[in-house]
Amino acid sequence: MRRAGGAIGTMADRTAGKGAGGKAGGFSIARVTNYYVPLFLQSFSQCLTYPLVASIVSGGPLGVHEITAFAQGQTVMFLLGAAGGGMVTTGMVFARTREGFRAFKRLNWAMIAALLALQAAAAVPLFANWMFGTVFNMGAGMADGAEMVEHARQTLLWSVFMQAAFFFRNLPLVALLNVRESGKANTATFVRIVLTLSLAPLFRRYGLVGHLWGLAATTAACWIETLVTWLYARPYIRALEPGGDPEDASALRQFAFTVPISAGGILLSFTPLLSAYFIGRAADSAAALSVHYLTVGLANAAGFGAFRMQQVAIQFPPERPRDFRVPLYALASGLCVACLPLAFGALHPVSEWYFCGVQGLSAGKLPMAETVMSLYAFLPVAQSLRACAEGWAARQKKPRVIFAGQAAYFATIVAALSGSLHFGMPGWYIGVTAILSAPAAAGATVAAGLVLANRRRAAA
């Protein structure tokens, strides 16, 4: 018997988006926009805090190279944290009842304990020096190369406090997203961005500069954001009702759902490290790495903001066969977000002010940064469409399809990086080539996987 499987979704998903005290309703431009815009602003402003803190870091003794060391240490931190990268998606699927939320809470505590211990172990000098100095070739041939490696190691070690803030935030964030109160989550992040904006000039004014002071400012702002998020979420957590699928109350089942998604997240978080590995072996590695880290921070702000379309797709699944309103919305929003990186690439006064004035990039490297930022305008479009496909896969509880997409992402980025280096592309061009091609491959893989899965189900 044939089922309505033409769309990537099920008719049973029409009830999506209801929760304790939450807001219900199907797709409409206004409803989706009211949910998505706060999510985008939250993610964009979170990523934006890192370039702001870079102005504190670059005031250290190593100048712009201190940003490289700081970014490398934080990149490893994010790689380790990616082992729990599927937690928010898991919570949005399973933690909609009192029992499901309790199981999610137990799983989150276990993840905190395991990952913080792993991060502290990775910062042991013997291992960290080998990783940053040998594997990633940091500071090769430079007089202050050893100091750069030590700064990266210290950043990784003391980032455990920031990592803890991110994981503690999972619980209230999931509670808010499940009742479509994304605006309140965004308000908490707005507090964080305002605090970071206030601390950056204050720290510079009093000479509190360098990698550790930059980390201190970031960590303090993250914990304040977590606290505000908790205050907003407490009424909704208390209002959760019992019931739902009994298996959703199993932390073990939630862990099994999280593993493929988080494994894919690990592959994605490994991207900046892979990029640094290949760029570090290009002829112009020192200059290219500084351009790479300064531009990728802004590009990630736009890309991660666009990627919040995943939560939109979970909350607003297809309501009928061949319902493609959300993908069309994802395409349109991605094109709008693309204007942000394009402004830093195509508008010379803007790029000169930011890269040279704020971040201290030399004028000779500015054309490279402008070209890279212009190319990064394609990133939000690819990320938005990919996120839409992954959101539908998560709603249907198909983490393996998501993982297949992440594997395609990783394979594409490795091929692009190695190919670019082999053919002698400039170092500053290597990273952007790979980072642009991978999301398109991931999104196409997930969409194809969902179509095949629904065709099999329809034929059954």
Side-chain angles (χ1 to χ4, degrees):
M1 180 178 177
R2 180 175 175 83
R3 297 178 59 185
I8 305 176
T10 66
M11 299 296 284
D13 282 330
R14 287 179 177 176
T15 58
K18 297 180 181 179
K23 304 170 182 177
F27 179 94
S28 74
I29 298 293
R31 201 173 284 131
V32 173
T33 301
N34 287 338
Y35 185 76
Y36 172 66
V37 169
L39 286 175
F40 170 80
L41 292 175
Q42 180 193 32
S43 187
F44 180 79
S45 58
Q46 282 176 348
C47 292
L48 195 60
T49 59
Y50 302 111
L52 290 173
V53 168
S55 64
I56 299 175
V57 178
S58 63
L62 302 182
V64 71
H65 296 302
E66 190 139 351
I67 296 177
T68 301
F70 179 79
Q72 198 83 297
Q74 290 229 302
T75 298
V76 177
M77 181 206 77
F78 287 123
L79 171 62
L80 296 173
M87 290 295 291
V88 172
T89 301
T90 299
M92 291 187 68
V93 174
F94 291 96
R96 294 176 174 269
T97 64
R98 189 179 304 162
E99 295 83 0
F101 189 85
R102 286 174 180 168
F104 179 70
K105 186 176 181 180
R106 291 195 300 272
L107 176 59
N108 196 61
W109 275 107
M111 296 293 285
I112 289 173
L115 293 177
L116 294 189
L118 182 61
Q119 184 172 333
V124 170
L126 183 63
F127 178 79
N129 292 343
W130 168 79
M131 175 173 58
F132 292 120
T134 303
V135 176
F136 298 114
N137 207 30
M138 181 183 291
M142 299 173 60
D144 52 8
E147 196 172 358
M148 288 178 65
V149 170
E150 176 59 17
H151 286 191
R153 188 194 73 81
Q154 291 177 5
T155 300
L156 174 61
L157 174 62
W158 296 110
S159 290
V160 293
F161 297 104
M162 188 166 71
Q163 188 86 281
F166 289 144
F167 274 88
F168 277 116
R169 192 188 60 188
N170 283 342
L171 297 171
L173 182 60
V174 162
L176 291 175
L177 295 183
N178 278 345
V179 294
R180 296 188 183 176
E181 291 290 355
S182 55
K184 292 181 178 178
N186 180 55
T187 300
T189 302
F190 181 72
V191 172
R192 171 183 169 185
I193 192 81
V194 169
L195 183 60
T196 306
L197 278 168
S198 303
L199 290 177
L202 189 66
F203 275 39
R204 292 198 305 271
R205 179 179 179 181
Y206 289 100
L208 306 178
V209 293
H211 62 292
L212 292 181
W213 284 113
L215 184 61
T218 309
T219 303
C222 287
W223 274 106
I224 294 297
E225 177 193 20
T226 298
L227 176 62
V228 175
T229 309
W230 266 108
L231 293 175
Y232 276 130
R234 286 178 65 186
Y236 302 108
I237 295 174
R238 289 198 190 107
L240 286 170
E241 298 178 356
D245 187 345
E247 292 187 7
D248 288 357
S250 166
L252 187 60
R253 186 190 182 194
Q254 292 189 19
F255 178 71
F257 181 87
T258 301
V259 167
I261 299 175
S262 295
I266 293 173
L267 295 179
L268 301 186
S269 296
F270 197 60
T271 296
L273 292 176
L274 266 181
S275 300
Y277 176 87
F278 283 93
I279 294 172
R281 280 151 181 77
D284 54 344
S285 61
L289 279 172
S290 61
V291 170
H292 169 69
Y293 280 120
L294 286 176
T295 55
V296 81
L298 287 172
N300 279 342
F304 281 116
F307 195 69
R308 299 308 292 268
M309 191 58 60
Q310 185 183 87
Q311 281 78 47
V312 173
I314 292 174
Q315 288 290 339
F316 297 91
E319 298 174 15
R320 58 179 179 268
R322 302 189 183 281
D323 182 359
F324 297 114
R325 290 175 295 175
V326 172
L328 290 173
Y329 184 93
L331 174 62
S333 64
L335 290 170
C336 291
V337 177
C339 297
L340 294 171
L342 188 61
F344 284 89
L347 301 178
H348 183 74
V350 175
S351 60
E352 186 176 37
W353 162 77
Y354 177 75
F355 290 114
C356 299
V358 177
Q359 301 296 359
L361 189 70
S362 65
K365 299 176 186 175
L366 183 59
M368 302 180 199
E370 290 177 332
T371 302
V372 170
M373 287 308 303
S374 297
L375 291 172
Y376 273 136
F378 294 99
L379 183 62
V381 178
Q383 287 284 58
S384 186
L385 292 171
R386 168 189 159 216
C388 180
E390 290 188 8
W392 279 353
R395 185 71 195 184
Q396 295 182 53
K397 298 182 180 178
K398 297 183 183 298
R400 292 181 181 177
V401 173
I402 297 176
F403 179 73
Q406 315 291 34
Y409 183 106
F410 185 73
T412 302
I413 211 160
V414 169
L417 286 169
S418 57
S420 299
L421 184 64
H422 175 75
F423 289 107
M425 287 186 178
W428 57 271
Y429 191 73
I430 290 176
V432 67
T433 302
I435 290 171
L436 287 177
S437 57
T445 301
V446 174
L450 285 176
V451 169
L452 290 174
N454 280 284
R455 284 180 178 174
R456 292 194 199 101
R457 185 176 57 192

